[in-house]
Amino acid sequence: MSRRPSDKLKMPHIFRPLKRASKWPIWADVITRLGVAFSLIAIVVLVHWVDRAGLKDSHDGQISFLDVVYFTMISVTTTGFGDIAPVSDRSRLIEAVIVTPIRIMVLFIFVGTAYNFVLKRTWEKWRMARIQAKLTDHYVVLGYGTSGAEAVRELIARGTDPACIVVIDQSGPRIQAAEAVGCNVLQGDASNDDTLIDVQIAKAHTVLVSAGRDDSSILIVLTVRHLAPNVPISVVIRAQDNELLARQAGAANVINPVSFTGLLLAGSAQGEHVADYMADLAAIGGKVQLRERPVRGEEIGKSLDQLASGGRGLRIYRGGKPYGFWEDEASKLQAGDMIVEVVNSETCEAD
């Protein structure tokens, strides 16, 4: 790779707040409020038309339908020019008992609309900026294509709160799709320093990179590693020749969907149930799951096949090196070991 994060032209940092989908779309809120308001006004027009004999027009003494509409609007808006007025006892009772409550309701609707679209949205923007400033231990998904979207769905299925997931993509439709499932979203270039700084990349739990192109994905990995030296990075790489480059760029995990598909195909050739079991391990909907976790205090000194979780220990990572369950290092667990185990899905949910 010829381009490094440090070589980029530095521009003034313009902070961009995250977005999160609201439960009630703006257009639906507007239509509902206007519909209710005009429905109430229509009721008042009908009441005034039925009781038009109790109204007096000081201009020509006649009450037409236009006069009724005019009187309704100035009455509901509390303008009150006095040219048309209720004169009968029944008309005054109707104004007091029916029209006045409706007038108050219409005013509340318009005041509520002003609050919702001015004050509330200003407050929501400020609140999201505050949340963004305090983001920590969150999942950052860079690229919401097929792989990124599937990763988000799997994270949510495994119990991750969508509010703890931040998605960055340059495509408007993809951003809208991520926003629709409840994720925090930011439309922008994931290889840009400022974009990643805005989502507190250095405080993330994990970064998942799937840009669609290997060169873009590797550049993003370089940028993330430059800004967040200690955050685990997983990246999707489609060409086997680029896997080493991705690891050299700083990726902790390199996933090649083509290679994985080949593994499933080869497994199916060796036995009809091998590929099925591998797919079961990878998905949350299966009967078993692969899980990585730190060793527990009560497991220190025991072997990998004596886990307190009841799972089947497969491998440990000690000092960054992997050891299988058959190796001597796995016969006595030590503090700081990371364990990879197979557990029953129900047991994993209970934990």
Side-chain angles (χ1 to χ4, degrees):
M1 301 295 295
S2 60
R3 183 182 173 192
R4 299 181 58 84
S6 58
D7 297 331
K8 299 176 184 175
L9 179 62
K10 291 296 181 180
M11 301 294 290
H13 182 195
I14 301 175
F15 177 79
R16 291 182 297 166
L18 296 173
K19 294 195 301 179
R20 187 184 299 170
S22 60
K23 296 180 180 179
W24 192 244
I26 295 176
W27 63 266
D29 195 6
V30 172
I31 292 175
T32 301
R33 289 173 184 271
L34 291 178
V36 172
F38 284 115
S39 297
L40 292 173
I41 292 174
I43 291 173
V44 177
V45 170
L46 179 62
V47 170
H48 282 158
W49 177 249
V50 172
D51 189 54
R52 60 187 179 279
L55 302 176
K56 180 181 179 181
D57 187 345
S58 60
H59 175 64
D60 57 11
Q62 300 295 322
I63 299 295
S64 64
F65 182 74
L66 181 60
D67 291 331
V68 169
V69 174
Y70 163 73
F71 176 66
T72 298
M73 296 309 296
I74 65 172
S75 177
V76 168
T77 58
T78 69
T79 304
F81 294 114
D83 49 350
I84 300 178
V87 292
S88 68
D89 291 340
R90 188 177 72 171
S91 293
R92 290 175 178 177
L93 181 63
I94 289 174
E95 290 294 320
V97 176
I98 299 177
V99 177
T100 297
I102 290 179
R103 179 188 300 124
I104 295 173
M105 293 171 63
V106 171
L107 289 176
F108 267 113
I109 289 173
F110 285 114
V111 170
T113 302
Y115 163 75
N116 189 63
F117 290 100
V118 180
L119 298 178
K120 186 178 178 181
R121 296 193 183 280
T122 301
W123 163 261
E124 183 67 16
K125 184 176 180 179
W126 178 85
R127 189 179 70 87
M128 286 302 298
R130 293 286 296 173
I131 292 174
Q132 185 172 349
K134 296 180 179 180
L135 277 175
T136 184
D137 205 32
H138 51 297
Y139 295 84
V140 179
V141 179
L142 305 179
Y144 199 73
T146 302
S147 299
E150 185 62 34
V152 168
R153 283 194 292 269
E154 188 70 17
L155 283 172
I156 294 173
R158 291 173 183 263
T160 303
D161 185 355
C164 294
I165 302 174
V166 177
V167 174
I168 299 177
D169 199 293
Q170 296 192 73
S171 168
R174 290 180 179 180
I175 283 295
Q176 293 174 5
E179 193 175 9
V181 300
C183 298
N184 303 300
V185 298
L186 185 63
Q187 186 172 356
D189 182 3
S191 66
N192 183 276
D193 288 13
D194 291 341
T195 302
L196 297 177
I197 290 172
D198 283 342
V199 299
Q200 304 291 338
I201 195 72
K203 299 179 181 178
H205 179 276
T206 302
V207 176
L208 309 179
V209 181
S210 178
R213 290 168 49 102
D214 286 358
D215 54 351
S216 298
S217 294
I218 293 173
L219 177 59
I220 291 172
V221 171
L222 278 169
T223 308
V224 173
R225 182 55 69 220
H226 166 67
L227 297 172
N230 301 316
V231 174
I233 304 173
S234 297
V235 60
V236 174
I237 294 295
R238 288 168 172 77
Q240 189 172 7
D241 292 344
N242 292 329
E243 292 183 18
L244 178 59
L245 288 175
R247 294 188 184 280
Q248 291 176 338
N253 298 296
V254 178
I255 298 101
N256 189 324
V258 177
S259 297
F260 186 72
T261 302
L263 291 175
L264 291 178
L265 285 173
S268 65
Q270 297 297 321
E272 60 178 311
H273 302 301
V274 174
D276 178 66
Y277 189 75
M278 291 174 68
D280 193 345
L281 282 174
I284 186 65
K287 295 182 179 179
V288 292
Q289 291 183 34
L290 272 176
R291 181 171 69 173
E292 179 180 341
R293 63 172 178 85
V295 65
R296 299 176 182 175
E298 64 269 27
E299 296 170 336
I300 295 176
K302 297 181 180 180
S303 65
L304 189 57
D305 59 359
Q306 296 176 315
L307 299 179
S309 63
R312 300 286 184 178
L314 301 179
R315 177 180 287 182
I316 65 170
Y317 285 83
R318 180 178 299 160
K321 296 182 179 181
Y323 298 100
F325 61 86
W326 64 89
E327 298 183 73
D328 293 339
E329 287 79 2
S331 62
K332 189 174 182 180
L333 298 176
Q334 299 179 8
D337 286 349
M338 292 297 296
I339 297 172
V340 176
E341 61 179 344
V342 176
V343 295
N344 181 281
S345 294
E346 295 179 358
T347 303
C348 188
E349 292 177 3
D351 291 346

